[in-house]
C-alpha cells in the first residue's frame, strides 16, 4: 500500500491555506522521461475537447482575529487560490479521496490496443516503482488538479507528470529538460520560467504547472484535439504541423494515429492511457493507491529577507533534502526574498517555521552576491571575497582552468563590505561568464623544402593528428615546399591589472623626483673610465 503522511489541523487562528499558484505559461517540445524497458506503444485516436466543470473546493472559513501580538507578528501563511481563508479539515470534501475527484474529471477518449496493454504490464510488474511515483505525486497532485479544473481541462492532464518525470521535481533529462513537466531551457524562458545562477523555475512546482497548463491549452486551441496537443507538447508544435501538412498533401487522414512521428511521441499518449487505467482500476493490475487527501498538502510562507537554506530547513524542523522537495527551484545555499518571497512547506512544518522565524535572533543569511568588476582568476576573486579558492569554486561551480569574466555574479560570504540582501534586479539577471585560461590563436605557417608532417608538427610543438584535423588532410598526406597550413597555438588569457589607488599614484609621483636627483648625484660622483 502507498502511504501518505497524515496532515493535522493547524492551531494558529491566523493560519490560512496555500493552494496552487498556477495560472500562466508553459513549454514547447518537451522530451518525455522514458521508463527503462517500457515497450513501444501504438498511437491513439484523435478526439475533440470535453470541458470539465470545476469541482468545488473544500469549505473554507474566514480566519479569526489574532489572539495575541506574537501571533500577529508571525510570517504570513496563505492560499494563493483563496487568499485570506483556511481549509476546514473536518469538512466532508476535505476528507474525500482525491483519486475519486481525478477519476470523475476524466474526459479524453480511451485508447484500447495491445500497446497500451504492454505499458500497463510494465507498470503493474513494478509495484515498488508505482508506489514511489504516486507517493511523490501525492504532494503536488491536489494543486495540479485544482488548476486543471479551474481551466476546464480534462483531469488526465494532471497525470502527465507521471509520464514526464515520475513526479520528480529534480528530474533532468539528457536533453536538459527539467522539472516535473520537463521544460527545455529555451521553452522555459519563452513561458517566463526564470533560469539563472540562483534559481530554476522549471523545477518550481507551482510556476511550472501554471506554464505547462497554459501551453497545453494553447496547443489544444491550435489543433482542436487533445491527442495532437499532447503530441505537440512532446514533439513540438512545428513538427506536428509539418506532419499534418505532409498527410494533407498526400490525401491521408491527419489524426494522431495517422501521422508519422518519432517512437517517443507515438508512445506518449498510450503511456498516459495506461496510467489513467491504473488510476481508474488499480485492483485490476494488482496495485493499490493509498488515499490522497482532498486539500492542500503544503502552505505558502512569506519571507521578506534573504535566508540560508540550511537555516530555513532547521526553522521548519526539516532536513535540507526534505525542504528542497517543496522548494526544488533553489540553485544556491541561500533563498533570495526579492524573487522568492514565498516558501512552500507541509502544514505542520509551516506552523513550526512561522513561530521559529518570528523568534529568531541573529543573521538570516550568510551569503550575498558580488558582481566581478573585471576578468580575474578564481584565486584573485576568492581573495577579494575573503574565502578560499576551493570554496569559491565549489559554491559557484567554477571548473578548473577557467577565468571569471567581467560582470559575472558570484555568491560570496557576507562581510562588513558585502552585507546587503541581493537586489531584485541582480537576483533576476545574475549570470556567470567563464573564460578559458589558455585560448587558441589561429596562425598560418609554410612548409619548408622536404619537410614532413611530423617535422612541421615538431617545429610548431603540436601533434601530427592536430595538423591533420586542422587542415583536413589524410593520414598519408605529403607536404610541398611553401604549402600553407593552419596551426592553432595556445595563448595565455590576459586579466587586466587593477589600477593603483590615488594614494599610491600620488606617493609614486612624489618619490619620482627624489629618485632622479639621487641618480644624477650618483652619476656625477663616478670617475671617468680609462681606455
Amino acid at each position: 500500500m502507498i502511504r501518505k503522511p497524515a496532515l493535522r489541523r493547524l492551531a494558529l487562528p491566523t493560519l490560512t491555506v496555500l493552494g496552487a499558484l498556477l495560472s500562466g505559461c508553459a513549454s514547447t517540445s518537451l522530451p518525455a522521461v522514458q521508463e527503462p524497458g517500457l515497450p513501444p506503444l501504438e498511437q491513439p485516436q484523435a478526439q475533440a475537447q470535453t470541458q470539465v466543470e470545476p469541482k468545488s473546493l473544500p469549505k473554507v472559513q474566514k480566519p479569526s482575529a489574532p489572539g495575541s501580538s506574537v501571533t500577529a507578528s508571525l510570517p504570513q501563511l496563505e492560499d494563493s487560490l483563496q487568499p485570506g481563508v483556511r481549509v476546514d479539515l473536518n469538512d466532508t470534501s476535505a476528507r474525500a479521496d482525491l483519486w475519486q475527484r481525478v477519476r470523475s474529471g476524466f474526459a479524453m477518449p480511451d485508447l484500447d490496443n495491445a500497446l497500451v496493454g504492454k505499458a500497463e504490464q510494465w507498470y503493474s510488474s513494478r509495484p515498488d516503482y508505482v508506489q514511489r511515483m504516486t507517493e511523490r505525486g501525492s504532494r503536488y497532485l491536489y494543486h495540479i488538479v485544482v488548476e486543471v479544473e479551474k481551466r476546464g481541462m480534462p483531469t488526465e492532464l494532471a497525470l502527465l507528470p507521471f509520464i514526464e518525470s515520475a513526479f520528480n521535481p529534480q528530474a533532468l533529462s539528457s536533453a536538459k529538460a527539467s522539472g516535473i513537466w520537463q521544460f527545455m531551457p529555451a521553452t522555459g524562458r519563452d513561458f517566463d520560467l526564470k533560469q539563472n545562477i540562483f534559481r530554476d523555475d522549471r523545477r518550481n512546482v507551482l510556476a511550472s504547472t501554471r506554464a505547462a497548463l497554459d501551453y497545453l491549452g494553447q496547443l489544444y486551441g491550435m489543433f482542436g484535439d487533445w491527442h495532437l496537443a499532447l503530441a505537440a507538447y512532446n514533439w513540438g508544435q512545428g513538427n506536428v504541423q509539418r506532419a499534418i501538412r505532409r498527410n494533407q498533401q498526400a490525401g491521408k487522414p491527419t489524426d494522431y494515429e495517422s501521422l508519422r512521428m518519432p517512437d517517443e511521441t507515438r508512445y506518449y499518449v498510450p503511456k498516459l492511457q495506461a496510467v489513467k487505467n491504473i488510476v481508474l482500476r488499480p485492483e485490476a493490475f494488482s496495485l493499490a493507491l493509498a488515499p490522497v487527501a482532498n486539500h492542500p498538502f503544503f502552505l505558502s510562507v512569506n519571507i521578506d529577507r534573504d535566508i540560508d537554506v540550511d537555516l530555513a530547513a532547521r526553522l521548519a524542523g526539516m532536513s535540507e533534502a526534505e525542504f528542497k522537495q517543496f522548494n526544488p527551484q533553489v540553485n544556491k545555499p541561500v533563498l533570495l526574498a526579492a524573487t522568492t518571497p514565498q516558501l512552500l512547506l507541509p502544514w505542520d512544518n509551516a506552523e513550526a517555521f512561522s513561530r521559529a522565524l518570528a523568534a529568531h535572533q541573529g543573521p538570516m543569511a550568510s551569503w550575498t552576491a558580488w558582481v566581478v568588476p573585471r576578468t580575474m582568476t578564481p584565486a584573485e576573486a576568492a581573495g577579494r571575497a575573503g574565502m578560499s579558492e576551493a570554496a569559491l569554486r565549489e559554491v559557484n561551480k567554477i571548473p578548473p582552468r577557467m577565468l571569471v569574466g567581467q560582470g559575472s555574479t558570484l555568491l560570496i560570504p557576507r562581510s562588513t563590505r558585502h552585507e546587503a540582501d541581493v537586489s531584485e534586479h541582480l537576483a533576476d539577471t545574475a549570470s556567470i561568464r567563464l573564460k578559458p585560461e589558455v585560448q587558441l590563436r589561429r596562425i598560418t605557417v609554410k612548409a619548408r623544402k622536404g619537410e614532413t608532417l611530423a617535422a612541421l608538427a615538431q617545429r610548431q610543438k603540436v601533434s601530427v593528428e592536430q595538423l591533420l584535423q586542422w587542415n583536413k588532410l589524410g593520414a598519408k598526406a605529403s607536404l610541398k615546399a611553401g604549402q600553407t597550413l593552419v596551426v592553432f597555438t595556445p595563448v595565455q588569457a590576459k586579466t587586466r591589472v587593477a589600477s593603483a589607488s590615488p594614494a599610491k599614484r600620488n606617493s609614486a609621483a612624489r618619490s619620482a623626483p627624489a629618485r632622479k636627483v639621487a641618480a644624477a648625484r650618483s652619476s656625477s660622483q663616478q670617475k671617468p673610465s680609462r681606455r
Side-chain angles (χ1 to χ4, degrees):
M1 292 290 291
I2 302 170
R3 304 186 185 280
K4 174 181 179 295
L7 303 177
R8 297 188 297 273
R9 185 171 183 176
L10 294 176
L12 291 178
T14 57
L15 191 60
T16 54
V17 178
L18 169 74
L21 176 76
L22 312 167
S23 62
C25 318
S27 90
T28 71
S29 170
L30 310 179
V33 177
Q34 176 70 34
E35 312 301 351
L38 188 60
L41 306 180
E42 196 58 74
Q43 68 234 66
Q45 298 179 352
Q47 95 299 323
Q49 181 187 28
T50 301
Q51 292 288 335
V52 179
E53 291 300 323
K55 303 294 186 295
S56 60
L57 295 173
K59 184 183 296 182
V60 294
Q61 299 175 347
K62 292 290 182 182
S64 55
S68 68
S69 59
V70 174
T71 300
S73 68
L74 294 176
Q76 182 180 351
L77 305 162
E78 64 181 14
D79 178 358
S80 55
L81 286 179
Q82 301 184 91
V85 297
R86 63 186 178 92
V87 166
D88 179 4
L89 296 186
N90 292 320
D91 184 67
T92 303
S93 62
R95 291 179 296 172
D97 186 1
L98 184 63
W99 289 120
Q100 186 54 46
R101 182 173 174 181
V102 172
R103 295 178 190 117
S104 65
F106 286 160
M108 290 185 188
D110 286 331
L111 302 176
D112 185 11
N113 55 47
L115 294 172
V116 172
K118 289 182 180 180
E120 293 169 343
Q121 176 61 31
W122 192 93
Y123 286 116
S124 62
S125 64
R126 293 165 174 81
D128 291 345
Y129 175 83
V130 172
Q131 176 174 341
R132 290 193 303 273
M133 181 172 67
T134 53
E135 207 165 48
R136 281 195 300 266
S138 67
R139 301 176 186 131
Y140 318 117
L141 192 59
Y142 172 86
H143 305 277
I144 296 174
V145 168
V146 169
E147 190 61 24
V148 165
E149 291 176 345
K150 280 173 56 182
R151 296 161 182 261
M153 292 175 162
T155 53
E156 286 95 335
L157 297 180
L159 305 178
L160 201 56
F162 286 121
I163 308 304
E164 287 286 350
S165 62
F167 264 105
N168 179 4
Q170 301 288 355
L172 180 66
S173 77
S174 58
K176 305 302 181 185
S178 184
I180 66 171
W181 295 95
Q182 288 291 280
F183 275 90
M184 296 292 286
T187 299
R189 288 189 289 272
D190 287 344
F191 288 92
D192 200 29
L193 296 179
K194 186 69 66 177
Q195 302 155 64
N196 61 24
I197 64 173
F198 292 114
R199 76 185 198 273
D200 187 342
D201 283 342
R202 296 178 299 160
R203 300 195 304 265
N204 182 314
V205 173
L206 303 185
S208 65
T209 299
R210 162 195 53 81
L213 296 181
D214 265 6
Y215 184 58
L216 285 163
Q218 176 182 317
L219 291 173
Y220 179 81
M222 183 180 298
F223 295 105
D225 180 297
W226 276 116
H227 290 167
L228 291 177
L230 289 166
Y233 185 86
N234 176 258
W235 190 25
Q237 62 197 53
N239 290 322
V240 173
Q241 288 170 330
R242 284 187 287 272
I244 290 174
R245 281 197 298 269
R246 282 194 298 267
N247 277 26
Q248 287 174 335
Q249 292 168 358
K252 296 179 180 179
T254 57
D255 58 278
Y256 179 90
E257 287 188 287
S258 301
L259 300 182
R260 285 181 54 194
M261 58 185 66
D263 286 346
E264 179 186 297
T265 306
R266 187 175 301 282
Y267 309 154
Y268 191 64
V269 176
K271 284 191 290 184
L272 181 62
Q273 179 69 52
V275 172
K276 172 183 176 179
N277 292 346
I278 290 170
V279 170
L280 276 170
R281 301 177 304 277
E283 67 283 351
F285 304 96
S286 302
L287 295 171
L289 302 179
V292 178
N294 187 33
H295 58 69
F297 189 96
F298 47 80
L299 298 173
S300 174
V301 185
N302 292 347
I303 58 172
D304 56 11
R305 294 293 308 276
D306 294 356
I307 184 170
D308 288 345
V309 171
D310 63 346
L311 174 61
R314 289 201 311 272
L315 294 179
M318 308 167 72
S319 68
E320 280 194 50
E322 292 171 326
F323 181 86
K324 288 181 178 179
Q325 289 176 357
F326 295 92
N327 302 276
Q329 72 275 13
V330 178
N331 285 337
K332 297 295 183 185
V334 62
L335 290 151
L336 306 184
T339 52
T340 309
Q342 291 183 324
L343 308 182
L344 301 184
L345 297 171
W347 284 61
D348 292 344
N349 300 97
E351 177 184 6
F353 178 87
S354 64
R355 290 189 178 280
L357 184 62
H360 179 71
Q361 301 292 325
M364 299 271 287
S366 55
W367 299 94
T368 190
W370 171 54
V371 178
V372 177
R374 61 179 178 81
T375 299
M376 61 181 66
T377 65
E380 183 182 357
R384 287 193 171 206
M387 62 193 302
S388 70
E389 180 182 352
L392 180 106
R393 285 183 180 275
E394 180 181 4
V395 75
N396 292 285
K397 297 181 173 61
I398 302 174
R401 297 181 295 280
M402 299 297 285
L403 299 174
V404 181
Q406 180 181 4
S408 294
T409 301
L410 297 179
L411 195 67
I412 64 171
R414 292 200 178 201
S415 64
T416 53
R417 293 175 55 198
H418 305 285
E419 59 180 359
D421 283 356
V422 180
S423 69
E424 181 176 0
H425 173 74
L426 186 55
D428 262 339
T429 61
S431 64
I432 185 166
R433 304 177 181 91
L434 300 177
K435 301 180 178 180
E437 289 180 351
V438 176
Q439 300 174 349
L440 294 178
R441 181 179 62 184
R442 185 183 187 274
I443 63 171
T444 57
V445 297
K446 293 185 180 296
R448 297 171 180 171
K449 184 177 180 180
E451 190 170 36
T452 64
L453 279 168
L456 191 150
Q458 184 177 12
R459 174 159 64 92
Q460 295 298 322
K461 296 182 175 59
V462 297
S463 69
V464 173
E465 290 75 15
Q466 287 174 314
L467 277 180
L468 296 176
Q469 180 183 0
W470 293 332
N471 295 277
K472 298 181 174 61
L473 298 174
K476 297 182 179 180
S478 59
L479 301 180
K480 298 177 181 179
Q483 182 177 344
T484 300
L485 290 95
V486 172
V487 175
F488 289 89
T489 60
V491 179
Q492 195 73 26
K494 295 181 180 180
T495 58
R496 184 168 59 83
V497 177
S499 58
S501 66
K504 289 184 178 179
R505 287 199 298 269
N506 293 339
S507 174
R510 286 194 300 270
S511 63
R515 287 197 298 271
K516 290 180 180 179
V517 171
R521 185 180 296 119
S522 173
S523 174
S524 65
Q525 292 174 354
Q526 289 180 357
K527 295 181 179 180
S529 61
R530 296 179 180 178
R531 298 184 182 274

